[in-house]
Amino acid sequence: MSYQWETDLNVHQRKARSKNLLRRELTLKHPLESATTAGSLLAVKKAAKNILSTDEINLTDLDPLTRMAVADGNDFSNSGYIRSSKDTFEPWCVKKMTILNKFTTQEKMSITTSVYSERTGPMAATNEVRGVSEKVLHRLEQLDLDTGSRQFFGGLTQEEYTMKINQLDQELAQAWQADMRVNALKIGIQCCKLLNDTSVIYFYPSKFVIITDILDRFGNMVYNRLRGKQREEMSDEISKEMCKNWFFKVGSIRELLPRILIELAILKSSSFITPSPDYGRVLSRLLSSMWGLGCPVVSIYMRCYLCRIGMDLVPEHKELYMQCFQDLLLLHDQVLDNFRNSPVLVVHKVSMETYVSVLIPAVDWILQCLVHRGEHLHYTLQLISSIPMFWKSVLMSSLLTSFPPAFIAEECLQILEIILTLETNVGGIIKNFGMCLIIAEPQYSHIKEIWRAIWPQIRRIFSREEYLSCCQVWVEFMVKHFEIDTVNEFLEDILVHVSYRDVEQFHGKLFNIIEKLLNSSNDITLLLTSDPCVKLVSMLSTDGIKPVLLAFNSKHTEAQADALLVNTLMHLASTLHDSVDALTPVDEVKQIGSLINGFILRVDFGRDFEKQLQFYDEARGCFTNVENVLIQLVHCVCRLGMSVKQVVGGHHTKRTKGFLSACIAYGFITIPSLESIQIQLQLYLLVGQVAYANQCLSQGDACLKAAITLMSENMVEIGEADRNEFVSNLLSTLLAVPDYPKEPVLYLLRGLMSLELNSPSISLKYLSLLGAYAQDSYPYGFDAVDSNNVLYGGAETFIADINSIASATLNDLLTTRKTLGKLNQLNKQVRRKLNVLDFIKLKSKMINLEQTQF
């Protein structure tokens, strides 16, 4: 049994009359837009920056994405902590991480440890004493008692040395858990004695941090034990006596350093003796005792630990911190004499810069405790300005990191005058000075004077490491306030200091300079047209080019036609592209392609279409390894062709016709070099549509033929969903494509149908297209291109061919359904029946709707 297809010639007219158009409504907000707008995020960031750095930033009330945005927008100093222009107090938990990361060593160290055990039995009974003098003697015997063996470990690396200290910490905790309090105290004393050793001086700040952490834990153990006893016994007298016993034991320690440190560690527990103890008086007594310490490095760090404890107990006791600072001023001669005459420093050949850098963390902490909340700022500055030169360098470095940047900006000229007189640690001081002026800008009238004075100082820095560290800070200040001539002078001086051979050594600093240069510049095009900037970027190769293209794409959304700028960016993009090889990760290739595409999209020569096509042709030759770029170039050329059509109003001359042919040929040649079959099919269809839109019929036919041929050769590689989607788009285009006179009727459709796609949905789409072919007028078409309804004029032979093709398609569809039924493939049969029923239902609804309109 066969079926006959009869074409309804008037269906399109009825559909047009029955069409109901929806009214357009203007909306000002995207339905998926987040409730947190960019303006609100900016407000949140600004609020977060104004919070004092002593407080925790509470972002728990914000949604996760807003918290991430605020975190990304914060300004961090080198230590990783937020600095505001009003306050720079840095908690110890942050400060110590900076110290541990910075002060490391490769030198060998040594340590001596002991094993302690608790005495029991008769020996313990002999120690029972009752008199006051006997009690004191008994405590001394307990602390001096060493029943274990002493072990010396030499030639230890930093990791091994730290591991030994951590073992002492574990032994202390185990002794405490075993109720061996005296042994725990002995281990604490042993840890304190390690701070007397300054042989490896550059590691001393890290050792100080590790050991004071142990002392803090020991102090908490004592405090928690006393608190527990107070709650268990329900009596303050027992905890009071136990607390006195602890302080008596500490007071019996023979050596000064461990006695001071352990008393500071357990000082909080004195509240069990007196409800409101006078911590300030005790701390002042301990501060006076520190003059008995011989080594100035140890003495300064002990004052730092005292200030640490003081900030926890009496943060408002400014007289204590002022006394610590005045002690620092008086230690000048002792510090300088220790540097010149210490045998250990001479043997290890410690430089002045290294010696000063070791002292700075402790001095930083003492100074910031003194000036916290903006007190004693001017007085402290006056004191520093009148001290000897060597000590002035140390204190000035700490002043710039501890004082609020707003105060530094206000007193910038006085501070600059002091900096110009310094001879030691100049690079670090200039760097810190620049960081303060970036956070809080000085008065406009002072900017030029500051730069004229500070730039010669930077250029005179001998160490290239310090020179580049200063440059990567001051580049932001310079770019914000000066013109391109000053920027070029700055970059040329960097190129004098750093050659191509040194790029790998200073890669990180150079990259940071370029990144800040791009982010701080208001007009990146001026930078990219200057030779020093391009040379510096080219020195870093791929890593330096990525931020350049990223900054250009983000800051300049408008079209660029400057030949020098385009050539510069083309050179940089080509260098970035040439870094792609077979081993490059896929994600990095996509990132590089995205950056190059952003540059290509921003190049626009206006109505100079030939120059634009020449640029695209050059780009195709430069970026052959990145498929995303080639795809973008095909899209750009198609858009260029449609721009020409818009300019000429669809009426092409011989010249514009030739230009359009060149554009279509560009796409036709480029597409086969792509790897993705699906993308090739889509681009062939796109280029063909552009060709038909510009009356290039033969080239359009060539594109569609190439697409059909490509699909026939790669049927296995194309998924069913992708194939159905492409065929649908192709059939929609074929309705407006006229037949070639020398070819059979509907030869493109016949070629597509010959592929035997075996899809009922596609077969039904064939029937829909054949029905549309038979209408007197088509719903759409290409400008100035006569479709088949005009070419054939509804001729009976044309309609007969349509009916013949449709009947064959319908018979194949129904025959396949019957075959499936015979093979008991019921699921496939049911699906195909449903497809046919849906098709009939859709057509019947259209007919009913059309009939109701009459």
Side-chain angles (χ1 to χ4, degrees):
M1 179 179 180
S2 62
Y3 299 87
Q4 187 68 28
W5 175 275
E6 295 183 1
T7 301
D8 186 353
L9 303 180
N10 299 317
V11 64
H12 176 64
Q13 288 80 2
R14 293 199 301 273
K15 284 174 62 179
R17 288 192 296 268
S18 64
K19 186 178 292 185
N20 294 322
L21 298 178
L22 295 176
R23 186 180 62 181
R24 292 189 176 184
E25 295 182 1
L26 180 64
T27 178
L28 299 178
K29 184 177 180 181
H30 194 280
L32 299 180
E33 183 178 353
S34 172
T36 306
T37 61
S40 64
L41 281 180
L42 185 60
V44 172
K45 291 181 183 179
K46 190 174 293 184
K49 287 184 180 181
N50 292 331
I51 296 176
L52 293 180
S53 57
T54 51
D55 301 327
E56 292 287 341
I57 298 180
N58 184 13
L59 301 177
T60 55
D61 296 333
L62 301 177
D63 62 273
L65 293 178
T66 306
R67 287 200 298 271
M68 290 170 62
V70 173
D72 290 341
N74 286 334
D75 293 329
F76 292 90
S77 67
N78 287 349
S79 61
Y81 195 77
I82 299 173
R83 294 194 70 189
S84 71
S85 60
K86 297 181 180 179
D87 191 11
T88 57
F89 191 86
E90 186 178 29
W92 182 253
C93 60
V94 178
K95 183 78 173 177
K96 70 179 184 180
M97 296 307 299
T98 306
I99 294 174
L100 292 173
N101 292 331
K102 179 179 179 181
F103 293 95
T104 59
T105 183
Q106 301 296 328
E107 296 186 39
K108 301 298 181 180
M109 293 175 281
S110 61
I111 187 173
T112 302
T113 61
S114 301
V115 180
Y116 303 102
S117 62
E118 188 75 26
R119 286 207 175 186
T120 58
M123 192 65 167
T126 60
N127 288 332
E128 293 182 4
V129 289
R130 296 178 181 178
V132 175
S133 59
E134 292 181 354
K135 285 184 178 180
V136 174
L137 182 60
H138 174 62
R139 293 191 186 103
L140 288 173
E141 289 176 351
Q142 278 187 316
L143 296 179
D144 290 341
L145 189 61
D146 188 1
T147 59
S149 60
R150 299 174 65 87
Q151 292 181 323
F152 174 80
F153 299 94
L156 301 178
T157 63
Q158 177 186 322
E159 292 76 13
E160 294 169 342
Y161 187 86
T162 305
M163 188 181 301
K164 292 295 180 183
I165 297 178
N166 291 335
Q167 288 178 1
L168 290 176
D169 186 22
Q170 294 173 4
E171 292 174 5
L172 189 151
Q174 292 170 0
W176 189 270
Q177 293 296 329
D179 291 334
M180 301 167 66
R181 317 297 180 195
V182 174
N183 283 358
L185 180 58
K186 289 179 179 180
I187 296 173
I189 294 172
Q190 185 179 352
C191 291
C192 295
K193 290 181 178 180
L194 295 177
L195 289 177
N196 263 327
D197 179 18
T198 59
S199 56
V200 184
I201 193 167
Y202 196 73
F203 183 67
Y204 190 83
S206 294
K207 180 166 66 173
F208 170 80
V209 168
I210 297 171
I211 292 177
T212 52
D213 282 349
I214 297 175
L215 294 177
D216 291 341
R217 287 190 287 273
F218 176 73
N220 290 332
M221 290 177 184
V222 174
Y223 182 86
N224 293 334
R225 172 172 168 77
L226 295 174
R227 175 65 67 189
K229 283 293 182 181
Q230 187 182 49
R231 292 174 180 173
E232 291 173 5
E233 305 295 339
M234 301 298 291
S235 173
D236 293 340
E237 290 300 322
I238 295 177
S239 60
K240 180 177 179 180
E241 289 300 320
M242 291 181 64
C243 185
K244 285 182 178 180
N245 186 45
W246 272 108
F247 279 97
F248 287 150
K249 278 186 169 62
V250 173
S252 302
I253 299 174
R254 296 181 184 275
E255 297 186 29
L256 179 61
L257 177 62
R259 184 167 71 245
I260 293 175
L261 284 173
I262 294 181
E263 184 171 356
L264 286 172
I266 67 170
L267 185 58
K268 181 175 63 173
S269 300
S270 62
S271 60
F272 294 99
I273 301 175
T274 305
S276 299
D278 188 358
Y279 292 119
R281 182 183 60 82
V282 178
L283 290 172
S284 297
R285 173 178 59 80
L286 293 174
L287 180 62
S288 300
S289 302
M290 290 179 185
W291 283 106
L293 299 174
C295 178
V297 176
V298 177
S299 178
I300 291 173
Y301 271 91
M302 293 310 103
R303 287 173 170 81
C304 170
Y305 186 58
L306 184 142
C307 290
R308 260 196 58 205
I309 301 300
M311 287 300 292
D312 292 336
L313 301 177
V314 283
E316 304 298 331
H317 201 298
K318 294 299 180 182
E319 293 79 6
L320 175 68
Y321 309 124
M322 177 56 73
Q323 184 60 48
C324 280
F325 177 68
Q326 291 175 350
D327 286 356
L328 290 181
L329 300 181
L330 296 175
L331 282 169
H332 165 262
D333 293 335
Q334 189 177 353
V335 171
L336 189 58
D337 182 69
N338 180 67
F339 171 74
R340 291 172 176 172
N341 302 318
S342 173
V344 175
L345 300 181
V346 173
V347 169
H348 288 82
K349 298 180 180 180
V350 178
S351 64
M352 176 68 76
E353 288 74 15
T354 302
Y355 188 66
V356 168
S357 66
V358 169
L359 301 176
I360 285 176
V363 178
D364 282 352
W365 182 259
I366 295 172
L367 263 182
Q368 75 168 357
C369 292
L370 173 63
V371 302
H372 179 42
R373 297 179 181 172
E375 300 179 13
H376 304 299
L377 295 174
H378 289 89
Y379 178 66
T380 305
L381 179 60
Q382 292 300 325
L383 286 178
I384 293 176
S385 63
S386 59
I387 61 176
M389 190 66 61
F390 162 74
W391 206 224
K392 187 185 296 184
S393 298
V394 179
L395 296 179
M396 182 57 65
S397 177
S398 298
L399 180 146
L400 292 172
T401 56
S402 305
F403 279 37
F407 175 80
I408 303 296
E410 181 183 349
E411 302 294 332
C412 60
L413 295 183
Q414 182 181 356
I415 294 174
L416 178 62
E417 185 178 351
I418 298 174
I419 292 174
L420 296 178
T421 63
L422 301 178
E423 298 176 356
T424 306
N425 195 28
V426 177
I429 293 173
I430 292 177
K431 175 184 175 181
N432 293 335
F433 185 48
M435 291 175 64
C436 293
L437 297 185
I438 291 171
I439 296 173
E441 290 190 3
Q443 296 182 18
Y444 181 77
S445 57
H446 296 162
I447 290 175
K448 290 186 177 180
E449 184 177 353
I450 292 172
W451 181 250
R452 282 197 300 266
I454 211 71
W455 177 232
Q457 296 293 324
I458 297 175
R459 298 181 65 180
R460 280 197 291 268
I461 296 176
F462 179 76
S463 171
R464 288 186 294 177
E465 188 82 23
E466 287 190 8
Y467 169 80
L468 292 176
S469 296
C470 292
C471 287
Q472 69 184 73
V473 172
W474 282 92
V475 63
E476 190 173 347
F477 178 85
M478 180 264 305
V479 172
K480 284 182 178 179
H481 301 295
F482 294 95
E483 300 296 331
I484 189 64
D485 294 338
T486 307
V487 176
N488 287 337
E489 180 187 357
F490 179 85
L491 297 178
E492 286 174 356
D493 194 72
I494 292 177
L495 293 173
V496 170
H497 282 77
V498 182
S499 63
Y500 278 93
R501 293 175 299 177
D502 306 319
V503 170
E504 186 175 353
Q505 180 182 357
F506 303 111
H507 184 277
K509 295 184 182 298
L510 294 174
F511 178 80
N512 192 266
I513 290 173
I514 292 174
E515 197 171 31
K516 289 187 176 181
L517 188 69
L518 298 171
N519 294 335
S520 304
S521 177
N522 295 324
D523 189 359
I524 192 177
T525 58
L526 293 176
L527 291 174
L528 295 178
T529 53
S530 67
D531 289 341
C533 180
V534 176
K535 289 180 181 178
L536 188 59
V537 171
S538 300
M539 287 173 64
L540 297 181
S541 187
T542 304
D543 293 334
I545 295 172
K546 284 183 180 178
V548 173
L549 292 178
L550 182 61
F552 175 77
N553 295 340
S554 60
K555 288 191 174 185
H556 296 277
T557 56
E558 69 278 3
Q560 299 291 333
D562 182 78
L564 180 59
L565 176 63
V566 171
N567 289 335
T568 301
L569 289 171
M570 177 65 80
H571 167 70
L572 297 177
S574 300
T575 305
L576 182 62
H577 164 270
D578 293 342
S579 67
V580 176
D581 54 27
L583 300 179
T584 306
V586 176
D587 290 341
E588 186 175 353
V589 175
K590 289 181 179 179
Q591 181 191 20
I592 292 175
S594 177
L595 293 174
I596 296 175
N597 285 341
F599 153 63
I600 291 173
L601 290 173
R602 283 160 180 78
V603 176
D604 188 358
F605 294 101
R607 291 202 172 187
D608 193 346
F609 298 120
E610 292 182 353
K611 190 173 183 180
Q612 190 76 32
L613 182 60
Q614 183 181 358
F615 167 75
Y616 291 146
D617 186 59
E618 181 182 354
R620 181 178 61 182
C622 293
F623 309 127
T624 56
N625 293 338
V626 183
E627 185 165 328
N628 290 346
V629 179
L630 297 178
I631 295 171
Q632 184 63 60
L633 287 172
V634 174
H635 282 281
C636 289
V637 170
C638 291
R639 185 182 60 184
L640 181 64
M642 297 306 294
S643 299
V644 174
K645 175 181 181 294
Q646 185 178 4
V647 170
V648 300
H651 303 288
H652 287 286
T653 63
K654 184 177 181 180
R655 182 180 178 185
T656 58
K657 193 87 169 182
F659 180 80
L660 262 300
S661 298
C663 290
I664 297 165
Y666 180 101
F668 190 80
I669 294 171
T670 306
I671 292 172
S673 61
L674 304 176
E675 294 183 3
S676 173
I677 302 301
Q678 181 63 24
I679 293 176
Q680 287 189 49
L681 293 174
Q682 294 173 358
L683 291 181
Y684 272 130
L685 181 58
L686 175 64
V687 174
Q689 290 170 348
V690 173
Y692 289 122
N694 290 278
Q695 299 102 50
C696 299
L697 303 183
S698 60
Q699 290 178 298
D701 288 350
C703 290
L704 297 189
K705 286 180 182 178
I708 295 172
T709 303
L710 180 65
M711 190 165 61
S712 67
E713 295 173 351
N714 299 274
M715 292 291 292
V716 179
E717 300 180 19
I718 306 173
E720 183 178 357
D722 293 336
R723 183 174 65 243
N724 291 346
E725 180 185 359
F726 171 73
V727 171
S728 297
N729 294 332
L730 179 58
L731 293 177
S732 300
T733 303
L734 287 178
L735 178 62
V737 174
D739 282 343
Y740 189 66
K742 296 182 180 181
E743 297 288 347
V745 175
L746 305 180
Y747 76 101
L748 289 174
L749 178 60
R750 292 174 188 269
L752 179 62
M753 295 174 69
S754 66
L755 298 182
E756 298 181 359
L757 300 177
N758 296 324
S759 172
S761 60
I762 293 179
S763 298
L764 294 175
K765 290 173 183 177
Y766 290 158
L767 295 177
S768 298
L769 176 61
L770 291 168
Y773 268 138
Q775 306 306 310
D776 292 336
S777 60
Y778 293 168
Y780 54 84
F782 296 108
D783 293 339
V785 176
D786 293 333
S787 301
N788 285 335
N789 63 326
V790 177
L791 290 180
Y792 294 105
E796 293 182 359
T797 56
F798 178 62
I799 301 300
D801 288 336
I802 291 175
N803 291 337
S804 175
I805 297 173
S807 298
T809 303
L810 185 60
N811 283 320
D812 289 343
L813 184 63
L814 297 178
T815 301
T816 303
R817 180 185 63 81
K818 288 182 179 181
T819 304
L820 291 174
K822 292 178 180 180
L823 297 175
N824 293 326
Q825 297 183 5
L826 299 180
N827 290 334
K828 291 185 178 180
Q829 185 183 27
V830 169
R831 284 199 301 269
R832 298 205 173 189
K833 282 183 177 180
L834 290 175
N835 288 334
V836 174
L837 288 175
D838 288 341
F839 177 74
I840 296 173
K841 184 178 179 181
L842 176 63
K843 297 301 179 182
S844 63
K845 282 185 177 180
M846 293 170 56
I847 294 172
N848 292 334
L849 182 61
E850 293 158 5
Q851 289 175 350
T852 58
Q853 301 297 324
F854 290 99

